Amino acid sequence: MIEVTDLRLSFGKTEVLHGISCSVAESEVVCIIGASGSGKSTLLRCMNGLERPSAGSIAINGHRLGPGEKPTDLAVVRRDVGMVFQHFNLFPHLTVLSNITLAQRRVLGRTAQQSEERARMLLDKVGLADKADRYPDSLSGGQAQRVAIARALAMDPQVMLFDEPTSALDPEIVGEVLTVMKDLAAEGMTMVVVTHEMGFAREVSDRVIYMDHGAIVETGRPDELFASPQAERTRAFLSKVL
Amino acid sequence: MPLYFGDLIPYAGELFTGLLISLGITAVAAVAGGLLAIGLYLGRASRRALPRRLAGAYIEVIRNTPLLLQLYLIYFALPQIGVNFDPITAGIIALTLNNAAYVAEIYRAGFESIPTGLNEAAAALGLSRRSTFVDVQLVPALRNVIPPLTNQIILLFLASSIASIVAVPELMHVMMGITSETFRTVETFVVGGLLYFGVAFLLAMTSKLIETRVIRWKVA
Amino acid sequence: MFQSFGPDDLLLIAQGAVVTLVICSLAVVFGGTLGLALGLMSAGRIAILRWISAVYVGAIRGVPVLLIIFFVYFGLPLAVPGTDVPDYLAAVIALSVFASAYVSEIVRGSIAAIPRGQFEAAEALGLSYWSRYRFVILPQATRIIVPPGIGFLVVLIKDSSLVAAIGLMDLARSGNIVASLTANPILSYLVVGAVYFVICYTASAFARRYERRLSTRAVAPGVGDSLVVGSGVEK
């Protein structure tokens, strides 16, 4: 589904990603963990073209995103890939419902009725059916993030990217978002999640990638990586966060 | 030193007319300048270098030279090449051209202060450049520009006094006329000052009202 | 007969420029000091001082600069009978008054931009009002003040052109004189405009460079932060 080959990215003169290679299979749930500045969000953002690699390539469903990709490829990729941001990024001047229907209508060409039906169905699924006509500023953080997830799902993506989805939430609200994500995983959605929630990573992911200083240090199944990490750095990181 | 405001009473009508003319000049320059500024902003934000540089140069020149000088050029210098404007037209043109530069920058700030996250979300959803502009950026940008725009109108109103220098019969010019007739300098300026202040204050209150009604949401 | 534009005219313009720079500098000194005091008053805890400052600033900023200049030039001799107010003195006084109101707002905004925590920490350490402001608050405020301060300087230089209306031989008025001497107003005013532009543009460019360096300076975290959540966090 996602194929990353020797990906390099530099901001100006500073190289931030040093030759990353990894892959994500269909229906796989991959969690990327690591300290701040390790490049995990940057890597994630390469997967839907928000960051452009300086060298190497990413292929999503066969569509290449390399240094010289064309705009049409980008549009196709973005249709297949949905993203949920740390700070939700809901459109403040639109109602919750409009937030979810906007891209459906403009990008997918669905009719108003079709997109509204889908939107209400998804809102119901994330438990917020009654908030359809509210504005984002009246929602709590957890509710806003669930709406953001619904908004991304409305596009029927094949892959969902999550960039620290719970980092901006109060601890007691984190759970409601993680529940939605767990259900999504159980339904077989391909997910790549950058997170600090080790519990979630251990429970739900099929594979965990630990990154440090712009490179993948170790990757493996959660029970293996958390219980007996191979690399010294992984051990050091885990001992600090667990 | 005794102050006697009574001498000013017969001039009340003149003062009022002067104020109306000031307001009229302000309104025309505000609307015309606001429209011209749209063109300037689009030029500034264009992806082609020529419109960007032209608009940018215009804005920089206007913002780094005094309004008075711009008025001098329009009213005193253009006749040298045969372009003659009557005082009120010259005043309006100068104020419009000047206002447009500042309003264009207000538009720019309005768009640039939209949180990048919103633009990223729009991109991630696959929205086209046009749709991003119209559906995601326009309304928040409009709400962003309302406070600085209303402030700019107040500044424009105060700046309209510059037309007095080319003998446009607006409020400041009327005031100078009254002082030369009555010699009640302090009183005239106090009354005139209160008129300017009063209008500016009303405009500021109106803008606060608009802000609280229109800007209803916080970015989430 | 009219002379053609020559070095004498440039000299006149240069003299006008000097006059403009001198009166603006004086206005910055006097107006800036008064503005600092007003700004501290309006950011302070004593309600009556805040009120006085607010009324003063509101009045000055609610009337045209031209009015202030005329008021000082024509009104002051009447208010203080017997005094003769030469044009340059009236100009400096008027511009100082104008500057003080502007600077007061900048100072107030800069103090407000400093996180509450700095005030609280300074108080908790037992520092007196003057010590707090002298050693903790104002040093940090100064760094914030510079960009809008320079922006204001540019405004002052441009608005100072209005003193031409009371006959003072500043840069703008030198343009008038040269224009009538040479019967070439276009060239005269363009030259004057170019001088204004160079002065103002360099000042603005300096402010922009200073603003870029602001983020790397030793200022408390949170100073000058954008207040908008969701503005994109880089990792």
Side-chain angles (χ1 to χ4, degrees):
Chain A
M1 179 79 36
I2 302 182
E3 199 67 51
V4 180
T5 318
D6 200 29
L7 191 71
R8 286 179 191 279
L9 198 151
S10 302
F11 288 128
K13 293 213 194 86
T14 326
E15 197 178 47
V16 168
L17 293 177
H18 313 299
I20 308 258
S21 296
C22 64
S23 62
V24 179
E26 199 174 331
S27 290
E28 220 189 341
V29 175
V30 175
C31 281
I32 308 181
I33 62 174
S36 296
S38 55
K40 41 192 210 301
S41 280
T42 314
L43 173 61
L44 193 76
R45 288 154 64 91
C46 285
M47 293 181 186
N48 73 345
L50 284 179
E51 305 283 359
R52 309 292 180 83
S54 321
S57 74
I58 294 194
I60 320 267
N61 241 359
H63 300 288
R64 278 198 63 229
L65 284 182
E69 99 276 342
K70 298 185 288 293
T72 38
D73 284 345
L74 195 56
V76 171
V77 166
R78 289 199 173 141
R79 232 170 289 190
D80 290 340
V81 178
M83 183 148 185
V84 175
F85 297 84
Q86 180 178 350
H87 293 288
F88 339 130
N89 292 337
L90 294 180
F91 303 132
H93 57 296
L94 301 175
T95 60
V96 162
L97 195 69
S98 297
N99 259 273
I100 305 179
T101 59
L102 174 66
Q104 287 186 71
R105 294 165 58 183
R106 294 270 188 269
V107 179
L108 299 180
R110 292 183 185 155
T111 68
Q113 192 188 3
Q114 283 171 334
S115 36
E116 204 183 298
E117 269 174 31
R118 183 112 178 88
R120 288 196 189 275
M121 192 267 284
L122 284 167
L123 277 177
D124 194 44
K125 184 171 159 177
V126 301
L128 291 171
D130 56 330
K131 303 280 187 211
D133 295 311
R134 301 288 199 86
Y135 282 89
D137 66 332
S138 67
L139 302 175
S140 75
Q143 293 168 334
Q145 194 63 299
R146 283 185 277 156
V147 171
I149 295 176
R151 179 176 67 174
L153 287 176
M155 306 296 287
D156 291 322
Q158 307 204 326
V159 181
M160 282 284 279
L161 305 177
F162 292 83
D163 189 357
E164 297 206 34
T166 56
S167 295
L169 302 176
D170 292 332
E172 61 269 17
I173 301 190
V174 166
E176 62 193 53
V177 174
L178 292 181
T179 310
V180 171
M181 290 168 67
K182 280 183 215 172
D183 291 341
L184 204 56
E187 288 165 18
M189 172 68 77
T190 314
M191 293 163 61
V192 184
V193 184
V194 170
T195 184
H196 291 301
E197 295 289 327
M198 300 304 159
F200 175 85
R202 209 191 324 224
E203 254 186 78
V204 182
S205 50
D206 300 309
R207 211 160 24 103
V208 175
I209 295 178
Y210 168 61
M211 280 181 70
D212 187 32
H213 286 98
I216 295 182
V217 175
E218 196 175 333
T219 149
R221 295 205 351 243
D223 48 350
E224 288 167 6
L225 191 128
F226 282 110
S228 38
Q230 304 281 341
E232 178 56 47
R233 278 190 285 170
T234 322
R235 262 196 290 265
F237 175 75
L238 288 175
S239 67
K240 272 189 271 200
V241 301
L242 288 175
Chain B
M1 186 214 77
L3 283 178
Y4 184 55
F5 286 87
D7 277 356
L8 296 179
I9 297 180
Y11 294 96
E14 252 188 84
L15 280 169
F16 187 65
T17 317
L19 178 61
L20 283 181
I21 295 186
S22 291
L23 286 170
I25 297 177
T26 307
V28 174
V31 170
L35 290 174
L36 178 59
I38 295 179
L40 275 175
Y41 169 68
L42 290 176
R44 195 90 164 60
S46 164
R47 283 195 267 202
R48 299 204 307 274
L50 185 63
R52 209 173 49 233
R53 296 223 184 106
L54 277 178
Y58 176 89
I59 293 174
E60 283 301 301
V61 167
I62 295 283
R63 289 178 54 159
N64 286 293
T65 51
L67 174 58
L68 183 65
L69 197 73
Q70 293 156 18
L71 181 61
Y72 281 168
L73 272 165
I74 293 174
Y75 188 67
F76 291 121
L78 284 183
Q80 189 180 347
I81 53 173
V83 180
N84 286 287
F85 294 115
D86 62 276
I88 211 170
T89 312
I92 291 180
I93 292 178
L95 286 168
T96 301
L97 292 179
N98 186 280
N99 190 41
Y102 289 95
V103 173
E105 285 295 279
I106 290 177
Y107 292 160
R108 185 164 78 99
F111 276 97
E112 286 181 8
S113 63
I114 295 173
T116 47
L118 292 185
N119 299 328
E120 287 183 351
L125 286 168
L127 291 171
S128 68
R129 219 176 109 92
R130 190 170 164 275
S131 173
T132 306
F133 182 82
V134 172
D135 296 311
V136 174
Q137 294 179 323
L138 197 57
V139 174
L142 276 172
R143 294 183 184 183
N144 279 343
V145 303
I146 287 178
L149 264 186
T150 47
N151 185 55
Q152 180 64 20
I153 292 181
I154 295 175
L155 291 177
L156 188 61
F157 172 65
L158 297 182
S160 69
S161 58
I162 213 171
S164 63
I165 294 188
V166 294
V168 173
E170 47 71 63
L171 182 55
M172 180 67 77
H173 186 77
V174 167
M175 281 164 56
M176 298 309 292
I178 297 177
T179 59
S180 63
E181 282 183 24
T182 67
F183 298 104
R184 292 283 165 202
T185 324
V186 176
E187 294 89 331
T188 314
F189 283 132
V190 167
V191 170
L194 282 172
L195 282 174
Y196 271 112
F197 180 81
V199 173
F201 185 77
L202 280 173
L203 286 172
M205 288 295 111
T206 316
S207 93
K208 278 249 171 61
L209 209 74
I210 297 179
E211 276 169 53
T212 44
R213 286 285 176 84
V214 173
I215 305 183
R216 287 182 291 113
W217 90 104
K218 293 180 289 286
V219 182
Chain C
M1 203 44 237
F2 297 111
Q3 69 196 59
S4 58
F5 198 94
D8 287 341
D9 305 301
L10 286 176
L11 187 62
L12 248 163
I13 293 178
Q15 287 173 330
V18 168
V19 170
T20 293
L21 288 173
V22 166
I23 58 172
C24 286
S25 307
L26 290 173
V28 164
V29 168
F30 295 121
T33 317
L34 181 56
L36 178 62
L38 286 165
L40 289 175
M41 278 165 61
S42 64
R45 292 205 197 135
I46 306 176
I48 185 119
L49 289 182
R50 279 204 308 268
W51 193 83
I52 294 175
S53 173
V55 167
Y56 176 87
V57 170
I60 301 296
R61 298 196 68 172
V63 297
V65 183
L66 197 52
L67 184 73
I68 301 177
I69 294 175
F70 281 153
F71 189 84
V72 171
Y73 185 62
F74 293 114
L76 212 54
L78 298 179
V80 186
T83 54
D84 181 37
V85 186
D87 49 12
Y88 57 85
L89 187 59
V92 171
I93 294 176
L95 290 177
S96 300
V97 166
F98 171 66
S100 66
Y102 229 101
V103 170
S104 161
E105 286 296 278
I106 294 178
V107 167
R108 187 169 70 100
S110 308
I111 293 179
I114 297 176
R116 274 238 63 91
Q118 295 291 304
F119 292 89
E120 290 170 357
E123 270 188 75
L125 286 168
L127 293 170
S128 73
Y129 175 86
W130 291 111
S131 293
R132 284 205 299 272
Y133 271 83
R134 195 169 147 224
F135 296 112
V136 177
I137 305 299
L138 286 180
Q140 295 188 54
T142 313
R143 291 190 184 104
I144 312 175
I145 283 179
V146 171
I150 295 189
F152 159 67
L153 190 63
V154 171
V155 170
L156 184 65
I157 292 175
K158 289 188 295 179
D159 281 350
S160 73
S161 61
L162 293 170
V163 302
I166 56 173
L168 183 59
M169 233 290 282
D170 75 326
L171 183 52
R173 184 133 179 78
S174 71
N176 285 343
I177 297 176
V178 170
S180 52
L181 282 177
T182 63
N184 193 346
I186 289 185
L187 185 57
S188 315
Y189 290 129
L190 282 179
V191 170
V192 167
V195 176
Y196 271 114
F197 183 83
V198 166
I199 298 176
C200 295
Y201 190 77
T202 9
S204 306
F206 181 75
R208 275 193 287 267
R209 207 173 308 148
Y210 190 92
E211 233 172 327
R212 265 198 283 274
R213 283 171 39 198
L214 183 68
S215 51
T216 57
R217 283 302 187 111
V219 196
V223 172
D225 259 3
S226 158
L227 296 167
V228 176
V229 176
S231 53
V233 179
E234 310 87 63
K235 288 280 180 306

